[in-house]
Structures are given as structure tokens and as C-alpha cells.
Amino acid sequence: MNSFKPAITLAFSGASGAPYGLRLLDVLVAMNYQVFVLISSAARVVLDTESNVKLSGNEQKATEQLTTMFNAQPEQIKVFGKDNWFSPVASGSAAPKKMVVCPCSAGAVSAIAMGASDNLLERAADVVIKERGQLILVPRETPFSSIHLENMLKLSQLGVTIMPAAPGFYHQPETINDLVDFMVARILDHLNIEHTLTKRWGYGEQK
């Protein structure tokens, strides 16, 4: 029987930025975390467009695809469909205490801020908020409208971490992967997960 570190919920919504979410999933699996994956219909389109990942709409097939893609152990990655209300993430008695929506569309931000819970992604986020867990949203939109900013402010005041996909350049990135790793590293920092993805400011010589 496999012994994984505590499960983390990772949701992909329809914003641009699929490589961030895929890299985060890759790192969490390599660190032996169990990951519950939620993927919106729009996110599947983005995954195909940006990363050539054609993910099945069937949760079992999608689970198998990601398990193979990331060389995960059996049961380490579990994909739940948007209407699977019997999944652990739908209930405060079973959901992981940590959840990341990466990337996070402005629409998802709005729905979460309003407590819509019209699909599993929104419900899972609502559960984490009501259970006083840790929710990190990685919005990828530019510019932000006043509506977006108001929704993000509301969530921030509820304890949600708003972390726009805005990689820094002080580590002198040489590739797109370096920029992706910068954002993934910041997410891991906030999840209190140790890593060596990027050099930290003030520690050691820069490239």
C-alpha cells in the first residue's frame, strides 16, 4: 500500500497558463504528494492549445493519462469530473486542507468570490474557505478590471492567497521553463513545501 504525503487539490480553470499547473503537478508528484485534480472544460482546451496535452473528459481516462505522463504511483493522482459531487473535495469532512487553482480564470475568481458552487471546482474552493483551509489562486489576466480587483480583494480579506502569474526576472531566467519554475517555486513556498527550483534573492551568486 502506497504512503503519500497529505493530499493537495490542484484545479485547472480556463485561463492561459497551463504550463504552470502542469509543472506544479509534476513537482508535487515527484515529492510524493497525493494530488486531487480538477479540470474545467475550458481548461482542457487551454491544455491542448498551450501544452499539446489532450486530456480526456472522462475522469478515469484522464487519471490514467496524467499518471502515465508524470510517472505517478497508482492512486497518487486522482482526477474528478466537474459534476462528481461524491468526490472527497466536495465535503468539508474529507477535502484536503490545501488547494491551488493554477491557472485561475477571472470567471473562476468571480464564482469563488460569490460562493456559486455550480461545479466541483467552485465547490471545492468554497469548502476550503469555509473550513479555514489554505486556498491559493493564480490568476492570469491582464489588465485587471475593477470587477476583477474587487473580487480578488474580497477573497484576500477572507484569507485566500492571490498570486498572479507574474514571474520575476531577478534570477536571470534563460528559458520559459525558468519563468514557469519561478511561479511554481512561489506557490510551493506558500504551501510550506521545501524545494530547490530557483535561487532565492540574496542567497548565492546569481547566474
Side-chain angles (χ1 to χ4, degrees):
M1 182 176 179
N2 293 314
S3 178
F4 302 118
K5 294 178 181 177
I8 294 174
T9 303
L10 172 59
F12 293 73
S13 70
S16 178
Y20 294 117
L22 291 172
R23 178 58 170 153
L24 178 58
L25 179 56
D26 181 31
V27 172
L28 291 175
V29 167
M31 291 181 171
N32 201 42
Y33 284 90
Q34 186 176 41
V35 187
F36 294 160
V37 179
L38 313 179
I39 305 173
S40 71
S41 299
R44 288 202 303 275
V45 175
V46 175
L47 284 165
D48 185 12
T49 302
E50 296 185 346
S51 300
N52 294 317
V53 174
K54 300 181 185 298
L55 210 58
S56 172
N58 176 279
E59 60 184 44
Q60 182 57 43
K61 290 181 179 178
T63 295
E64 293 171 358
Q65 285 179 275
L66 292 178
T67 296
T68 299
M69 185 183 307
F70 294 103
N71 195 30
Q73 301 176 58
E75 302 295 313
Q76 188 174 11
I77 295 175
K78 292 187 176 183
V79 177
F80 297 110
K82 65 184 182 69
D83 296 317
N84 188 345
W85 303 110
F86 291 100
S87 65
V89 300
S91 172
S93 64
K97 296 299 183 183
K98 296 183 178 184
M99 177 177 178
V100 183
V101 184
C102 179
C104 185
S105 67
V109 170
S110 175
I112 295 168
M114 296 300 110
S117 295
D118 285 336
N119 56 50
L120 189 60
L121 188 158
E122 296 167 10
R123 170 59 182 170
D126 189 60
V127 166
V128 174
I129 292 173
K130 80 181 183 70
E131 295 295 324
R132 302 295 194 268
Q134 182 182 19
L135 177 60
I136 300 174
L137 305 184
V138 185
R140 210 310 307 170
E141 185 63 85
T142 188
F144 289 127
S145 73
S146 294
I147 296 173
H148 302 151
L149 294 169
E150 287 174 356
N151 287 330
M152 288 188 284
L153 175 60
K154 179 178 180 180
L155 289 168
S156 179
Q157 290 172 335
L158 292 172
V160 176
T161 299
I162 306 297
M163 190 181 299
F169 290 84
Y170 57 78
H171 62 307
Q172 299 179 9
E174 296 178 352
T175 66
I176 291 176
N177 288 339
D178 289 339
L179 294 173
V180 170
D181 276 358
F182 180 96
M183 283 307 308
V184 172
R186 295 299 291 129
I187 295 169
L188 294 174
D189 287 343
H190 280 259
L191 291 172
N192 199 28
I193 296 175
E194 293 187 9
H195 65 86
T196 57
L197 286 186
T198 60
K199 292 181 180 179
R200 297 183 183 278
W201 178 262
Y203 287 84
E205 189 176 324
Q206 297 295 314
K207 289 193 270 184

